[in-house]
Amino acid sequence: MGCLSSKEGSTFQQKEVGVKEGEHITGLSKKQRFLLKGSWKGVSREFESTGVLWLVELFTTHPPTRACFTQFSHLGLDGELQECEEFRQHAEQVMERIDNALFSMEDPDTMKSILLETGAYHRRVVGFRPEMFQFAEEPLLNALRCTLDERYTPQMEVIYRVIVQFMTQTLIEGYSGG
């Protein structure tokens, strides 16, 4: 599917607030967070296409998740969904929400608050279950791998797995009212 959208620059910048090494809530070291921020710049230029790849794979591998998106559930996965402007905009908005959380990584309270709020929002989505956040992990990692291509190194895979698992657990916590 090529690039559907491209953005100049990145909204991902470092925000220092005095987090000490070894105690960051994500489980990432300062160096890993630095590498993630640099890598994320490549993703930020492709939010729409990355989000589309992610959600299409999620719907393909876990069809019940698709039912939660009533405005798109009637569209075929063979290209019709990918061509829908409303779906592409939604995919980009989901990626921008992740970007907001990652932008706040050096302010753990803000980052966690964004993820808890997002998790809590999903309680209002008819048919949504908290395990659906877990179903989204591998499709998201695959979309990131596709977007970053050779920049998705084994080292970056470890970093992305850690951050995605942290985000998933925090979203579930928010969904559960924690």
Side-chain angles (χ1 to χ4, degrees), residues 3-125:
C3 299
L4 298 175
S5 172
S6 182
K7 295 202 179 344
E8 291 298 318
S10 172
T11 59
F12 198 142
Q13 301 168 357
Q14 189 166 353
K15 205 173 155 188
E16 290 294 336
V17 233
V19 175
K20 292 182 184 156
E21 190 64 32
E23 61 183 51
H24 198 271
I25 63 171
T26 62
L28 295 174
S29 70
K30 187 172 184 171
K31 179 182 178 183
Q32 287 173 317
R33 294 191 312 271
F34 176 80
L35 291 171
L36 175 60
K37 291 170 191 177
S39 172
W40 189 255
K41 289 177 186 177
V43 177
S44 71
R45 290 186 283 270
E46 302 294 337
F47 278 162
E48 183 182 294
S49 60
T50 304
V52 167
L53 286 171
W54 173 26
L55 294 178
V56 168
E57 182 177 337
L58 174 62
F59 296 166
T60 302
T61 58
H62 294 90
T65 60
R66 190 169 177 212
C68 296
F69 294 82
T70 54
Q71 69 273 40
F72 311 123
S73 59
H74 67 284
L75 299 173
L77 292 172
D78 57 353
E80 188 178 10
L81 184 63
Q82 296 88 325
E83 296 301 318
C84 174
E85 181 65 28
E86 186 181 5
F87 176 71
R88 291 195 323 264
Q89 287 175 354
H90 180 77
E92 183 172 23
Q93 289 170 342
V94 172
M95 292 300 295
E96 287 171 351
R97 188 66 175 176
I98 293 171
D99 183 65
N100 289 338
L102 292 178
F103 175 81
S104 302
M105 191 167 17
E106 298 305 328
D107 180 357
D109 291 339
T110 300
M111 180 183 199
K112 190 163 186 170
S113 176
I114 290 168
L115 294 169
L116 290 171
E117 179 183 297
T118 303
Y121 169 82
H122 283 79
R123 288 193 300 255
R124 295 183 284 181
V125 177

